[in-house]
Amino acid sequence: KDKKQVDIKSVYAAIDNGAVSNDWAHNVIAAQIASGARSIEILSNSVFTKDGAGIKQHNLSKKTHLSDKNDFIVKPIIHMDVDKFLKLIDKIRADLRVEIGNINSGKSTHYELSASKNARLNRAAVKLLKDKSMTTHTSRKLYANISYNTMADK
């Protein structure tokens, strides 16, 4: 399958515009592109803390060989200050406080929250990235490619 070329400036613009939006869904897409975290992790599941110039992400939704031992991963944030990223996570969760309260009280689950918001998040990805093929999953791929191409030891 041919890989689609995406202009880095448009990706950075999506992060910038999504981060300042009053729409929680746009905030989530900006946070996803900047961190590579899954939507369920941004919405409610993970705990993010500052770790140098990056973040430490606890309570991962899926375990990998990298995270099985410690249940956290340390990673960079792209095109966003770490403190701004952490404030964005707080804003998203404040906007969804009723839904998160339902999780905390046992009336709902993290998965149910994520599933109920997925279509809205995919529409936000299309709008911010100006491409109808974009999804929350694509947002994570953008993070992976950008962080690898700009920060990996090669």
Side-chain angles (χ1 to χ4, degrees):
K1 187 174 168 182
D2 291 334
K3 286 190 177 185
K4 186 174 199 162
Q5 292 294 316
V6 178
D7 176 44
I8 192 80
K9 289 180 185 172
S10 65
V11 175
Y12 289 163
I15 293 171
D16 292 339
N17 294 332
V20 299
S21 174
N22 289 324
D23 184 335
W24 65 265
H26 290 195
N27 299 156
V28 171
I29 298 303
Q32 270 195 305
I33 300 170
S35 71
R38 291 175 176 81
S39 56
I40 191 172
E41 294 166 340
I42 291 169
L43 291 171
S44 63
N45 199 51
S46 287
V47 175
F48 299 93
T49 56
K50 190 171 186 171
D51 188 272
I55 58 166
K56 186 181 281 188
Q57 180 181 342
H58 299 267
N59 302 335
L60 303 170
S61 294
K62 292 187 180 179
K63 305 292 185 250
T64 67
H65 67 282
L66 296 174
S67 62
D68 284 340
K69 196 155 83 174
N70 298 314
D71 193 30
F72 72 84
I73 191 166
V74 176
K75 57 187 173 180
I77 294 294
I78 60 170
H79 194 71
M80 186 183 293
D81 175 77
V82 173
D83 291 324
K84 183 176 180 181
F85 172 81
L86 296 173
K87 286 178 185 166
L88 188 60
I89 296 297
D90 290 343
K91 179 191 178 303
I92 292 163
R93 292 176 180 179
D95 289 347
L96 298 172
R97 65 188 162 280
V98 171
E99 293 91 336
I100 292 170
N102 287 338
I103 291 169
N104 294 337
S105 67
K107 294 178 187 171
S108 183
T109 66
H110 295 286
Y111 175 80
E112 289 169 331
L113 172 61
S114 180
S116 72
K117 303 300 183 189
N118 200 46
R120 172 100 182 266
L121 291 170
N122 285 336
R123 287 191 302 272
V126 166
K127 186 171 183 176
L128 282 172
L129 292 158
K130 298 175 177 42
D131 182 329
K132 59 186 168 191
S133 70
M134 294 297 170
T135 64
T136 61
H137 188 69
T138 312
S139 299
R140 296 185 66 235
K141 285 182 182 180
L142 290 171
Y143 169 83
N145 290 330
I146 292 168
S147 61
Y148 176 77
N149 289 326
T150 60
M151 298 176 202
D153 294 332
K154 298 180 204 172

Coordinates of all heavy atoms in Angstrom, one line a residue, residues 9 15-16 19 34 43 53 66 69 75 80 83 85 93 99 112 117 122 125 132:
K9 N 4.1 21.0 7.9 CA 3.5 22.3 8.3 C 2.0 22.1 8.6 O 1.5 22.7 9.6 CB 3.8 23.3 7.3 CG 5.2 23.8 7.2 CD 5.4 24.8 6.2 CE 6.9 25.2 6.0 NZ 7.2 26.0 4.9
I15 N -1.9 20.6 15.2 CA -1.6 20.6 16.6 C -1.9 22.0 17.2 O -2.6 22.1 18.3 CB -0.1 20.2 16.9 CG1 0.2 18.8 16.5 CG2 0.3 20.5 18.4 CD1 1.6 18.4 16.5
D16 N -1.4 23.0 16.6 CA -1.6 24.4 17.1 C -3.1 24.8 17.2 O -3.6 25.3 18.2 CB -0.9 25.4 16.1 CG 0.6 25.4 16.2 OD1 1.2 24.8 17.2 OD2 1.2 25.8 15.2
A19 N -5.0 22.6 19.7 CA -4.7 22.9 21.1 C -5.4 24.1 21.7 O -5.7 24.1 22.9 CB -3.2 23.0 21.3
A34 N 0.6 15.2 19.2 CA 1.8 15.6 19.9 C 2.4 14.5 20.8 O 3.6 14.5 21.0 CB 1.4 16.8 20.8
L43 N -8.4 10.5 26.9 CA -9.7 10.8 27.5 C -9.8 10.5 29.0 O -10.3 11.3 29.7 CB -10.8 10.0 26.8 CG -11.1 10.4 25.3 CD1 -12.0 9.4 24.7 CD2 -11.7 11.8 25.2
A53 N 12.3 16.8 29.1 CA 11.7 17.5 28.0 C 10.6 16.7 27.4 O 9.9 17.1 26.4 CB 12.8 17.7 26.9
L66 N 7.6 -3.3 25.6 CA 8.3 -2.2 26.2 C 7.7 -1.8 27.6 O 8.4 -1.2 28.4 CB 8.3 -1.0 25.3 CG 9.0 -1.1 24.0 CD1 8.7 0.1 23.1 CD2 10.5 -1.3 24.2
K69 N 6.8 -4.4 32.0 CA 7.5 -4.5 33.2 C 7.1 -3.3 34.1 O 6.9 -3.5 35.3 CB 9.0 -4.4 33.0 CG 9.8 -4.8 34.2 CD 11.2 -5.3 33.8 CE 12.2 -4.3 33.5 NZ 13.6 -4.8 33.3
K75 N 8.4 9.3 26.7 CA 8.5 9.7 25.3 C 8.5 11.2 25.1 O 8.0 11.9 26.0 CB 7.4 9.0 24.5 CG 6.0 9.3 25.0 CD 5.0 8.5 24.2 CE 3.6 8.7 24.7 NZ 2.6 7.9 24.0
M80 N 5.0 20.9 20.9 CA 4.2 21.4 22.0 C 5.0 21.4 23.2 O 5.7 20.4 23.5 CB 2.9 20.7 22.2 CG 2.0 21.3 23.2 SD 0.4 20.3 23.5 CE -0.4 20.4 21.9
D83 N 4.5 21.4 29.4 CA 3.5 22.0 30.4 C 2.2 22.3 29.7 O 1.1 22.1 30.2 CB 4.1 23.2 31.1 CG 5.2 22.9 32.0 OD1 5.1 21.8 32.7 OD2 6.2 23.6 32.1
F85 N 1.0 20.7 27.1 CA 0.4 19.4 26.8 C -0.4 18.9 28.1 O -1.5 18.5 28.0 CB 1.5 18.4 26.4 CG 0.9 17.0 26.4 CD1 0.2 16.5 25.2 CD2 1.1 16.1 27.4 CE1 -0.3 15.3 25.2 CE2 0.6 14.8 27.4 CZ -0.1 14.4 26.2
R93 N -10.2 16.6 30.1 CA -10.8 15.8 31.2 C -11.8 16.7 32.0 O -12.9 16.2 32.4 CB -9.8 15.2 32.1 CG -9.0 14.1 31.3 CD -7.9 13.5 32.0 NE -7.3 12.4 31.2 CZ -6.3 11.7 31.6 NH1 -5.8 11.9 32.8 NH2 -5.8 10.8 30.8
E99 N -18.6 12.3 32.1 CA -18.3 11.0 31.7 C -17.3 10.3 32.5 O -17.3 9.1 32.9 CB -17.9 11.0 30.2 CG -19.0 11.4 29.2 CD -19.0 12.9 29.0 OE1 -18.6 13.7 29.8 OE2 -19.6 13.3 27.9
E112 N -16.0 2.2 27.2 CA -17.3 2.7 26.7 C -17.1 4.2 26.4 O -17.7 4.7 25.4 CB -18.3 2.5 27.8 CG -18.7 1.0 27.9 CD -19.6 0.7 29.1 OE1 -19.4 1.4 30.2 OE2 -20.4 -0.2 29.1
K117 N -17.0 8.2 21.9 CA -16.5 9.4 21.4 C -15.7 9.3 20.1 O -15.3 10.2 19.4 CB -15.5 10.1 22.4 CG -16.2 10.4 23.8 CD -17.3 11.3 23.7 CE -17.9 11.6 25.0 NZ -19.2 12.4 25.0
N122 N -12.9 11.1 15.1 CA -12.5 10.9 13.7 C -12.9 12.1 12.8 O -12.1 12.6 12.0 CB -13.1 9.6 13.1 CG -12.3 8.4 13.7 OD1 -11.2 8.5 14.1 ND2 -13.0 7.3 13.7
A125 N -10.4 14.8 13.5 CA -9.1 14.6 12.8 C -9.2 15.0 11.3 O -8.3 15.6 10.8 CB -8.8 13.1 12.9
K132 N -9.9 13.8 4.4 CA -11.0 12.9 4.8 C -10.6 11.5 5.1 O -11.4 10.7 5.6 CB -12.1 12.9 3.8 CG -11.7 12.5 2.4 CD -12.9 12.7 1.4 CE -12.4 12.5 0.0 NZ -13.4 12.9 -0.9

